Amino acid sequence: MADSTISNKVWNIAGILFDGGVSNSDYLEQITYLLFLKMVDEDMKMPEELRWNNWRDLELPADCDWSLLMSKSGEELKEHYGKILSLLSKKTGMIGEIYRGAQNKIQTPEHLRKVIQMIDGTQWNSLSEDVKGDIYESLLERIAQDTKSGAGQYFTPRALIKTIVKCVNPELGKVIVDPCCGSGGFLLAAKDFLQGKYTTMTGQQTDDLKLHTFYGTEIVPNTYRLCLMNLLLHGIGEFGGVPPIKCADSLASAPSDNDLCEYVMTNPPFGKKSSTTIEVQEEDKETGEVVTKIKKAQDNYVRADFIATTSNKQLNFLQHIKSLLKVGGTAAVVLPDNVLFEGGAGETIRKNILKTCDLHTILRLPTGLFYAQGVKANVLFFEKKPTSENAQTKEVWIYDYRTNVKHTLKQNPLRETDLQDFVDCYRPDDRHHRQETYHAESNPDGRWRKFTYDEVLGRDKTSLDITWIKQGEESEDLSLPELISIIKEKSNNITEAVAELEKLLENLES
């Protein structure tokens, strides 16, 4: 059965469950739990030398047997499934991480039975890693399109991700990190790129690619579980091993020397302040038991490695990413416009990045690419340099793929071919021999232009929010959600400004 057929088959059940009160995100979570059980069952029935993904030492409790689950129905099925989730949540390694806090969200036994029968109808381990992974990725993308669920916040358009990876041009044997990895898109695209770049690998290189190359952090527990399964189905990590990603607030502490890496590729969550809740393990003062509590992620991070303290989480991620890089390491990060022009801490951080890193490229993106409507974003590419008295950035090259460009998620989604001209201008294999396409006289609408360090430093607040192409006569055709998003952003900015003024007034009066 083709992967698209299986994907459609899996997705068709979502409609039935949705009518029964099960959200699409909850449905995918339950598929993750059940799919794992089915794949283990298939693997256990194969000859030892053919078993998939080094599961040879994997042992599950007898009550978690797939055939036993298939024999149940009605309330007995529901109770048994709940017992399985409870048992596996107590396991260690990646199994325990996937099932941590797992609950049955399909309360109607008949619906649960339909999902189990659907999964049982496919021999999953007969499918290649690519096919299994692609099926799961397609489900993630469909759920991201459900804007009401908010799932789109962790899904970056794959065409953009693949373009970024092509430009970064990672090398085999070096570590790649995504500190807010969502569903794992950057890590998976990097793996695919490396497999295409190095078509012949030794056994050790293959193992290193699987187990010692890709790392990340995801703060949202449900998204973290989906990411783990997505990585596993694509051949990153193994069920009996240490998870390649952590469920944590990556901004909470400075990285250790062991955390440093050669590449960071990421798209931090949108919004200036945190609205995320996280699971925290704490000891109960009365009973002494370790309990899980839900807390809101903090807004301000005071870290010795940070240049400035700010509640703007994108600026904090930019500082964190610089700390994650080894000297000579490369970062590519998707950031909203405010990071390019915001004063105060924003200006301080931009000046520091320009001085200590080679901020060599900025790709300006249009609206209509992300499931969060109205977002104006950019991709910043920079390389961390050794300490020096002189500024490490000599020139900033900017590609304007925003002015007079219009994309929509359904009618005109972004494709890799749309960004091929940018890749050609970027020159991943030889970026030190670039040629501008902008010329003041002959081609004022050229999208590729360089600015010297002194030119950038001379701009108000060291702003990198630079445009030079004349806007076309057509006004920007904003959808209602985009317009609402813009109004909300401006309202938030006004609220923050008023709060700062009130603070200043209080200080003056005291």
Side-chain angles (χ1 to χ4, degrees):
M1 190 182 292
D3 58 331
S4 60
T5 305
I6 299 173
S7 177
N8 290 332
K9 176 183 170 185
V10 175
W11 187 248
N12 287 338
I13 302 291
I16 298 172
L17 297 187
F18 191 81
D19 292 336
V22 180
S23 72
N24 291 336
S25 295
D26 286 341
Y27 170 54
L28 182 58
E29 186 179 65
Q30 300 305 306
I31 285 179
T32 299
Y33 301 149
L34 292 164
L35 182 58
F36 166 74
L37 292 175
K38 178 62 162 58
M39 290 171 65
V40 171
D41 177 73
E42 291 178 8
D43 201 65
M44 292 293 186
K45 294 174 180 176
M46 296 179 71
E48 184 173 348
E49 66 274 11
L50 297 178
R51 291 181 60 186
W52 185 74
N53 207 28
N54 294 332
W55 293 9
R56 294 176 180 82
D57 300 324
L58 185 60
E59 293 183 6
L60 296 183
D63 286 339
C64 298
D65 181 73
W66 180 260
S67 59
L68 183 59
L69 181 67
M70 281 289 296
S71 70
K72 307 288 184 183
S73 61
E75 288 297 321
E76 186 182 15
L77 170 63
K78 182 177 162 183
E79 290 176 10
H80 185 71
Y81 179 49
K83 182 180 180 181
I84 290 175
L85 297 182
S86 177
L87 286 170
L88 294 181
S89 69
K90 297 178 176 63
K91 298 286 285 185
T92 58
M94 289 189 75
I95 301 171
E97 291 298 293
I98 287 176
Y99 286 90
R100 184 174 65 170
Q103 294 179 339
N104 175 22
K105 301 290 181 65
I106 307 175
Q107 292 301 307
T108 305
E110 292 78 10
H111 288 168
L112 178 59
R113 181 76 178 163
K114 275 184 178 293
V115 177
I116 292 171
Q117 288 176 332
M118 178 272 296
I119 290 176
D120 188 65
T122 298
Q123 287 294 310
W124 295 91
N125 282 352
S126 66
L127 306 174
S128 69
E129 284 182 355
D130 287 341
V131 171
K132 282 195 290 281
D134 287 347
I135 292 168
Y136 202 77
E137 271 277 286
S138 72
L139 294 174
L140 284 167
E141 184 164 12
R142 291 195 198 206
I143 287 171
Q145 292 169 4
D146 178 11
T147 55
K148 291 180 182 178
S149 72
Q153 65 179 317
Y154 61 76
F155 197 90
T156 306
R158 281 3 187 189
L160 177 59
I161 287 179
K162 290 177 181 178
T163 297
I164 290 171
V165 173
K166 276 192 280 189
C167 290
V168 171
N169 194 20
E171 297 178 3
L172 195 63
K174 297 185 177 181
V175 173
I176 300 170
V177 170
D178 184 346
C180 34
C181 54
S183 57
F186 277 101
L187 301 180
L188 297 179
K191 178 177 183 283
D192 186 60
F193 176 85
L194 288 169
Q195 288 175 322
K197 184 176 179 179
Y198 301 92
T199 54
T200 302
M201 285 187 270
T202 65
Q204 184 61 54
Q205 287 174 324
T206 300
D207 286 344
D208 286 344
L209 189 66
K210 175 181 177 180
L211 301 173
H212 307 299
T213 299
F214 307 102
Y215 298 93
T217 306
E218 172 52 44
I219 193 171
V220 181
N222 288 351
T223 307
Y224 168 69
R225 282 192 282 270
L226 299 181
C227 182
L228 274 180
M229 192 66 177
N230 202 18
L231 297 180
L232 284 164
L233 291 175
H234 282 88
I236 296 177
E238 55 187 8
F239 278 111
V242 177
I245 62 172
K246 298 178 291 185
C247 185
D249 181 357
S250 58
L251 296 176
S253 58
S256 68
D257 289 344
N258 291 332
D259 295 326
L260 302 186
C261 62
E262 285 85 5
Y263 303 103
V264 175
M265 290 179 275
T266 189
N267 178 12
F270 299 132
K272 286 189 177 183
K273 292 190 176 183
S274 178
S275 60
T276 301
T277 56
I278 57 176
E279 292 180 0
V280 179
Q281 303 288 327
E282 291 184 355
E283 184 176 305
D284 189 290
K285 293 180 181 179
E286 295 182 1
T287 64
E289 295 181 359
V290 176
V291 295
T292 299
K293 294 185 178 180
I294 303 296
K295 290 189 173 183
K296 184 176 182 291
Q298 65 189 88
D299 287 323
N300 292 308
Y301 297 86
V302 180
R303 283 175 34 177
D305 58 320
F306 278 10
I307 301 302
T309 300
T310 174
S311 63
N312 184 318
K313 64 183 177 183
Q314 277 89 26
L315 290 172
N316 284 327
F317 267 112
L318 184 56
Q319 296 184 89
H320 178 66
I321 289 162
K322 179 194 163 189
S323 293
L324 272 173
L325 287 175
K326 293 180 179 179
V327 173
T330 296
V333 53
V334 181
L335 292 167
D337 276 10
N338 70 77
V339 172
L340 301 187
F341 61 74
E342 192 168 293
E347 181 179 1
T348 301
I349 293 166
R350 283 193 299 278
K351 284 182 175 178
N352 178 263
I353 294 289
L354 288 164
K355 188 174 191 310
T356 61
C357 302
D358 180 10
L359 175 55
H360 52 79
T361 308
I362 298 175
L363 168 62
R364 293 176 65 81
L365 298 170
T367 59
L369 303 187
F370 301 95
Y371 293 103
Q373 295 291 327
V375 171
K376 289 185 177 179
N378 314 267
V379 187
L380 275 61
F381 297 83
F382 60 90
E383 183 179 324
K384 188 172 181 177
K385 294 291 189 179
T387 303
S388 172
E389 290 296 320
N390 300 318
Q392 296 289 9
T393 300
K394 308 304 179 187
E395 296 172 339
V396 180
W397 290 76
I398 300 179
Y399 190 96
D400 184 348
Y401 189 66
R402 176 181 300 174
T403 308
N404 302 322
V405 175
K406 181 66 177 177
H407 282 286
T408 58
L409 292 173
K410 293 184 178 179
Q411 282 77 24
N412 184 29
L414 182 73
R415 301 164 299 173
E416 281 188 77
T417 52
D418 294 321
L419 293 171
Q420 187 56 50
D421 185 60
F422 166 66
V423 176
D424 294 340
C425 290
Y426 186 103
R427 297 176 66 94
D429 294 319
D430 185 19
R431 67 176 181 81
H432 297 290
H433 292 88
R434 295 169 165 178
Q435 296 292 325
E436 287 182 288
T437 61
Y438 165 85
H439 297 287
E441 300 296 332
S442 61
N443 191 22
D445 292 333
R447 295 192 178 276
W448 185 233
R449 185 177 179 182
K450 69 178 177 181
F451 296 85
T452 66
Y453 172 77
D454 289 335
E455 285 176 322
V456 172
L457 206 64
R459 292 174 55 82
D460 182 40
K461 299 179 183 177
T462 319
S463 173
L464 291 166
D465 186 27
I466 303 172
T467 186
W468 60 93
I469 301 174
K470 185 178 179 181
Q471 181 74 41
E473 291 183 6
E474 286 188 16
S475 60
E476 189 173 9
D477 184 20
L478 293 174
S479 67
L480 183 57
E482 289 174 329
L483 186 59
I484 291 171
S485 177
I486 291 170
I487 291 171
K488 280 183 178 178
E489 182 179 353
K490 292 186 182 299
S491 176
N492 289 337
N493 289 342
I494 292 170
T495 302
E496 290 173 15
V498 170
E500 291 296 325
L501 287 172
E502 288 176 344
K503 247 189 239 179
L504 180 61
L505 183 60
E506 288 175 6
N507 293 335
L508 289 173
E509 289 175 347
S510 61

